[in-house]
Amino acid sequence: MTKQNVVAPEAVAIPYPPLRGASSTAASGSGGGGAAGYPIPRKLLTKLELGGATNGWVESMLASSPTHAKASAAAAVAAAALDGNTSSWTVKHPSALELFDEITRMSKGKRIVMFLDYDGTLSPIVDDPDLAFMSDAMRTAVRNVARCFPTAIVTGRRLDKVYEFVRLAELYYAGSHGMDIKGPVKGPRHAKTKTKAVLFQPASEFLPMINEVYKALLVKTRSIPGVKVENNKFCASVHFRCVDEKRWSALAEQVRSVLKEYPKLRLTQGRKVLEIRPTIKWDKGKALEFLLESLGFADNEEVFPVYIGDDRTDEDAFKA
């Protein structure tokens, strides 16, 4: 499949929710740093311990990015350990697929809103993140869902990149782990009001810093074969899927040496990827809540949100 040049079109505005008791709000606009009426949390999150030993980073990288063989072995050990407590564990962690009929019954008469991760959910996990194309069949499935329900893609990817992959103008898009949100181009059919185009970017002040870190990481990691550094606009990603495991320690040290100069950034991890993000309290869960409020469904007992994702950053959305 050839890479296509697709430009994310301008979006119509998401109708922002009313003020929630905040004394001030961020300004809105085509390059705005927020939305009128929606306070942006500024509380800093705890960062990964940058002063810790490098081997601690490597252990964490191994834990979050096991090979298939290691993952299978770990699953076998976990299954054996849970054998006597399976019932209590599954009560707390039920399988959505096994309970699909029950979920369907629960959703009847309610307004379903769909939230979808991209990599590993709508597209396969691939060695080169630039080649993570979704299939035509998957695109058709998502298009059909969007005809029935408000549908959003919530991803760590930069917004214009994921739009290039998905190419569906009727969706909501939340890129950079929800720090770059745009409404559907075809008009807010599921929204309450119509206004002119606007972006919601709660981390806009960090844009120069992320660009600076991205360039520093490109230079710092170029000696390690297989590293892919990706600029996702409001976060930077260091992919090590194609890096020899023996070089992970050196890579961790290089990333840490860059990040120690930026105390306002934090490190999170996914499957064979290190993610550098602003320290504001904003993630996929906050993006989900913002979109629900924007659609007029905040604290609505009749709304039935569904989120599908496959990685650690999706846990924030699951909790929300």
Side-chain angles (χ1 to χ4, degrees), residues 17-25 37-39 41 282 286 289-290 293 298-299:
L19 186 65
R20 299 168 59 190
S23 58
S24 62
T25 59
Y38 197 86
W282 194 268
K286 295 295 183 183
E289 292 173 343
F290 172 78
E293 291 202 31
D299 302 319

Side-chain angles (χ1 to χ4, degrees), residues 112-235:
I112 295 173
V113 183
M114 291 294 302
F115 298 92
L116 304 167
D117 175 41
Y118 183 75
D119 291 277
T121 300
L122 299 182
S123 74
I125 296 294
V126 295
D127 289 342
D128 186 346
D130 287 336
L131 301 179
F133 301 108
M134 67 189 299
S135 67
D136 290 338
M138 180 65 79
R139 184 173 294 102
T140 299
V142 175
R143 181 185 291 113
N144 290 338
V145 167
R147 286 172 179 162
C148 301
F149 318 117
T151 302
I153 306 295
V154 186
T155 175
R157 297 272 194 162
R158 60 184 298 146
L159 191 148
D160 55 353
K161 183 65 175 181
V162 76
Y163 185 88
E164 181 181 332
F165 282 140
V166 178
R167 305 199 308 273
L168 293 175
E170 58 267 42
L171 307 184
Y172 293 83
Y173 289 87
S176 301
H177 298 287
M179 289 180 282
D180 194 3
I181 300 176
K182 183 176 285 189
V185 168
K186 287 190 174 180
R189 184 167 65 87
H190 305 291
K192 306 293 186 184
T193 62
K194 293 183 179 180
T195 47
K196 60 183 180 180
V198 67
L199 295 176
F200 180 60
Q201 299 174 333
S204 59
E205 66 188 83
F206 290 90
L207 192 55
M209 187 182 297
I210 292 294
N211 285 330
E212 190 176 307
V213 168
Y214 165 70
K215 292 175 183 177
L217 287 170
L218 279 177
V219 174
K220 198 73 173 179
T221 64
R222 63 187 175 187
S223 63
I224 298 182
V227 174
K228 172 79 173 181
V229 182
E230 187 177 14
N231 187 339
N232 286 314
K233 193 169 184 177
F234 294 105
C235 59

Side-chain angles (χ1 to χ4, degrees), residues 95-108:
S95 166
L97 295 179
E98 291 179 3
L99 298 175
F100 195 78
D101 289 341
E102 182 177 340
I103 292 172
T104 302
R105 287 194 298 271
M106 291 170 61
S107 70
K108 286 183 178 179

Side-chain angles (χ1 to χ4, degrees), residues 283 285 288-289 312 314-320:
D283 50 37
L288 183 152
E289 292 173 343
R312 297 177 74 174
D314 296 308
E315 292 290 343
D316 296 318
F318 293 144
K319 291 173 184 176

